[in-house]
Amino acid sequence: PEHFFVAVDTSNDHVVGFICGATDTANQEKNFSRKMIPRIIARLLFYTTWRYPRTFGTLLNMMKGMGGLEDRGATAAVRSDYPAHLHINLLPEYQHAGLGTRLIRHFEGHLIRQGVTGVHLETTNHNHKAVPFYKKMGYAIVHETAAKSHPVLSDLTLITFAKRLAGRDATSSTGGTGGPGEVLPALR
């Protein structure tokens, strides 16, 4: 929760977007594998697959598709230079109004205050709106991996973007304090 921020439409108090991530991706993945993977597997085996039998087939296809990636995106070298990662999502009707830019700048300021010097994110070549947005925000492609056996998309490529944060202004461009869970008003 300390690295999670939301954008709210103040006219109706609805959350319209979020940005979240981790300052240390390797550590976050270790914790996720240790704490969450056993829970997810147990739920899949003992609840979900029995209640929704098609889930098991979908899961197998996902695993097969993931097996087609020679490595799953950000390599150890990328994570060493860009240890933090982020995830961002906005409702379509709030895109192209500057809110994504505000969320990313706010999150980058938060990371800088935490002493982080680089951040990465992953997307695919099918995320047509996001790829140019990340480039506009100063993120560069540092790794690409083709999915050779994706169950649906034969031309899927996993793209890792990264950005150095050292030397940037550590103040938030949104006027907020950068505190955990801060709510940013949406632009309208």
Side-chain angles (χ1 to χ4, degrees), residues 1-7 17-21 23 86-88 98-114 116 119 133 137 139 163 165 168-185:
E2 66 271 12
H3 309 301
F4 191 95
F5 303 92
V6 296
F18 72 88
I19 191 165
C20 64
T23 57
L86 68 85
H87 305 275
I88 184 171
L99 186 56
T101 299
R102 289 175 60 205
L103 283 169
I104 285 194
R105 286 185 180 155
H106 186 82
F107 191 74
E108 289 173 352
H110 171 74
L111 291 176
I112 291 167
R113 287 187 293 280
Q114 302 294 312
V116 176
V119 60
F133 171 69
M137 294 302 301
Y139 287 76
K163 182 176 182 178
L165 299 177
R168 294 193 59 230
D169 180 12
T171 60
S172 169
S173 64
T174 62
T177 62
E182 181 174 353
V183 175
L184 305 175

Side-chain angles (χ1 to χ4, degrees), residues 61 65 126 149-156:
N61 278 336
H126 284 264
S149 62
H150 189 276
V152 178
L153 302 171
S154 60
D155 66 336
L156 186 70

Side-chain angles (χ1 to χ4, degrees), residues 80-102:
S80 174
D81 291 339
Y82 310 95
H85 73 268
L86 68 85
H87 305 275
I88 184 171
N89 202 345
L90 295 171
L91 292 176
E93 60 269 28
Y94 289 86
Q95 295 173 4
H96 304 288
L99 186 56
T101 299
R102 289 175 60 205

Side-chain angles (χ1 to χ4, degrees), residues 44 56-69 149 151:
L44 283 171
F56 188 71
T58 302
L59 180 63
L60 287 176
N61 278 336
M62 284 175 46
M63 290 170 54
K64 187 187 339 179
M66 289 169 60
L69 297 173
S149 62

